[in-house]
Amino acid sequence: MNARKLFTFGALALFIWALIQKSLFASPIDLYFHGTYFVVAHFHLAVYFALWFAGAAAVYTLCPKLLHRKTSEALAQIHFWMSAVGTVAVLITIFRVSRVTADEWQNLHHRYMPGVFAALLLFLAAQIIFFVNLLWSTVRGQKVTRD
């Protein structure tokens, strides 16, 4: 499967995952979780990561049409898998933080922040690969003969 399809399915999966968890639609649960990391995790899942994956799918789809050059499929695959692993690691960690009890709040940063930081670094490294792929394709990419 090519990277365009992977990013498209990844965006759909992240958005559907956020919608399936209807727990925030129930008023008693919403009142309990209001202002917690559980809400933060849902927001980042539904808005940030799903839209980023959809944007990457759009760029990989439109790049050959606009630049008349192909992007590297190998770099695009690496970009997808590093982004997917980083995204899932960040979201799992944030959802785990949402279940922390009041007694564990003091040790919260020491326990969870290194994992979030490492996952975000992985996600950011994937975006560097994304921009390298775009720059490479504008200069050295294989020319597209048909749209």
Side-chain angles (χ1 to χ4, degrees):
M1 187 176 297
N2 64 18
R4 293 179 299 177
K5 291 178 184 175
L6 286 174
F7 274 106
T8 303
F9 290 134
L12 287 172
L14 288 170
F15 193 71
I16 289 170
W17 182 21
L19 289 179
I20 285 177
Q21 297 181 346
K22 295 180 183 178
S23 59
L24 292 179
F25 296 133
S27 293
I29 294 174
D30 182 41
L31 291 173
Y32 178 74
F33 283 121
H34 182 74
T36 63
Y37 280 106
F38 190 78
V39 177
V40 172
H42 269 82
F43 175 78
H44 283 83
L45 172 64
V47 176
Y48 179 71
F49 288 115
L51 287 177
W52 186 262
F53 273 55
V59 168
Y60 282 126
T61 301
L62 294 175
C63 192
K65 295 178 187 332
L66 296 175
L67 300 176
H68 302 290
R69 293 184 182 269
K70 291 183 180 180
T71 56
S72 168
E73 185 63 28
L75 287 178
Q77 293 276 338
I78 292 168
H79 172 221
F80 172 77
W81 290 110
M82 285 177 66
S83 295
V85 170
T87 299
V88 171
V90 166
L91 294 173
I92 286 174
T93 306
I94 294 175
F95 277 116
R96 286 183 63 201
V97 168
S98 69
R99 298 182 312 172
V100 170
T101 62
D103 297 333
E104 296 175 318
W105 277 103
Q106 290 180 339
N107 297 327
L108 176 70
H109 296 301
H110 301 295
R111 289 178 57 199
Y112 294 109
M113 289 306 156
V116 170
F117 186 69
L120 283 175
L121 282 180
L122 180 66
F123 184 79
L124 290 175
Q127 305 328 304
I128 291 171
I129 291 172
F130 174 61
F131 289 115
V132 165
N133 192 3
L134 289 180
L135 291 174
W136 176 83
S137 66
T138 59
V139 178
R140 297 269 198 182
Q142 179 184 0
K143 290 191 177 187
V144 176
T145 56
R146 295 177 38 187
D147 283 336

